[in-house]
Amino acid sequence: EAQVTQNPRYLITVTGKKLTVTCSQNMNHEYMSWYRQDPGLGLRQIYYSMNVEVTDKGDVPEGYKVSRKEKRNFPLILESPSPNQTSLYFCASSLSSGRVYEQYFGPGTRLTVT
Amino acid sequence: AQSVAQPEDQVNVAEGNPLTVKCTYSVSGNPYLFWYVQYPNRGLQFLLKYITGDNLVKGSYGFEAEFNKSQTSFHLKKPSALVSDSALYFCAVRDNLGGYQKVTFGTGTKLQVIP
């Protein structure tokens, strides 16, 4: 089944404790992206990647890191989480070569930072 | 900078009635426009997209959207609402200026279909 998976689905952590949220897709998509969803603000893009070793900042990159060492994986790293990073996070992927494609979204990771 | 506005936080409609969820956009160049739906505790699912061509785009689950360049709008419509259509709907825009694939989402509109 074609899908985007995220782990963990739920995470409660404390301020300053480094964490990683994994994202993996099995559709051989070039493009991958991370979003956060907050009430009243919709989805805001954190980082995106056009292909392996190619990443760039979205609208709200502060406090986050990403890497794209393999085509299928795009982990989101919070080096020192803070309470304002409490949010619902979504990973997404799509084809990107030449045409306009829709994104496939993972099920989301609900992060609480205390 | 590109932007999307969904002016209604919530839309209520009676089952069987037509529904409209509004979206306006701003981009440099020509837009690529998308609608996604989010059911509770789920990720977003693609409904439809406009790239070029016919202004009326048909998508999944009986939804359609009308692209209006002069009004910079891309409203989502359905002739007859179902209770199961109740969900959160997001409009999104991307420009066509090259390989850069930044996508901007609106704040979402909650659709409530009343039995």
Side-chain angles (χ1 to χ4, degrees):
Chain A
E1 179 190 356
Q3 61 182 347
V4 178
T5 57
Q6 295 178 228
N7 283 291
R9 294 288 313 279
Y10 302 91
L11 179 59
I12 301 174
T13 189
V14 296
T15 300
K17 186 176 181 182
K18 180 179 179 181
L19 66 91
T20 298
V21 184
T22 65
C23 173
S24 182
Q25 50 91 7
N26 62 0
M27 296 168 280
N28 202 35
H29 285 170
E30 297 92 355
Y31 181 87
M32 297 186 75
S33 182
W34 276 103
Y35 297 89
R36 59 178 289 173
Q37 182 179 9
D38 301 290
L41 297 176
L43 267 76
R44 294 179 292 168
Q45 191 173 44
I46 302 170
Y47 270 95
Y48 66 96
S49 170
M50 297 292 288
N51 215 323
V52 176
E53 302 292 0
V54 181
T55 64
D56 208 348
K57 297 176 181 179
D59 293 320
V60 288
E62 294 78 19
Y64 304 94
K65 287 177 57 178
V66 294
S67 67
R68 189 91 182 272
K69 293 181 170 51
E70 305 166 282
K71 197 172 187 179
R72 64 182 294 127
N73 296 323
F74 190 45
L76 179 70
I77 304 158
L78 284 71
E79 294 270 3
S80 182
S82 62
N84 64 12
Q85 293 179 299
T86 292
S87 187
L88 179 58
Y89 291 86
F90 288 101
C91 180
S93 73
S94 72
L95 291 166
S96 68
S97 51
R99 290 178 56 190
V100 180
Y101 295 96
E102 62 273 16
Q103 294 183 69
Y104 291 77
F105 283 80
T109 295
R110 187 167 292 281
L111 172 65
T112 302
V113 183
T114 61
Chain B
Q2 60 194 37
S3 64
V4 175
Q6 293 182 243
E8 301 154 318
D9 290 335
Q10 181 158 335
V11 170
N12 297 322
V13 63
E15 187 177 22
N17 282 3
L19 70 88
T20 298
V21 182
K22 296 179 180 177
C23 171
T24 59
Y25 66 90
S26 173
V27 289
S28 303
N30 292 318
Y32 299 135
L33 294 154
F34 305 82
W35 276 102
Y36 290 85
V37 61
Q38 184 181 31
Y39 298 102
N41 300 313
R42 302 284 296 275
L44 278 72
Q45 298 176 32
F46 169 73
L47 277 180
L48 51 81
K49 65 184 175 186
Y50 170 83
I51 301 173
T52 187
D54 287 343
N55 290 341
L56 188 63
V57 178
K58 294 189 183 298
S60 306
Y61 312 120
F63 284 93
E64 58 190 27
E66 187 169 11
F67 171 67
N68 187 317
K69 188 171 184 177
S70 63
Q71 296 185 7
T72 61
S73 67
F74 189 56
H75 300 332
L76 181 70
K77 300 182 179 184
K78 188 173 182 181
S80 178
L82 301 172
V83 173
S84 57
D85 293 331
S86 298
L88 187 58
Y89 290 81
F90 288 96
C91 181
V93 67
R94 209 199 96 186
D95 67 43
N96 71 339
L97 296 180
Y100 177 50
Q101 291 211 10
K102 175 178 166 63
V103 179
T104 299
F105 283 80
T107 53
T109 298
K110 182 178 181 180
L111 175 65
Q112 190 75 35
V113 181
I114 303 162

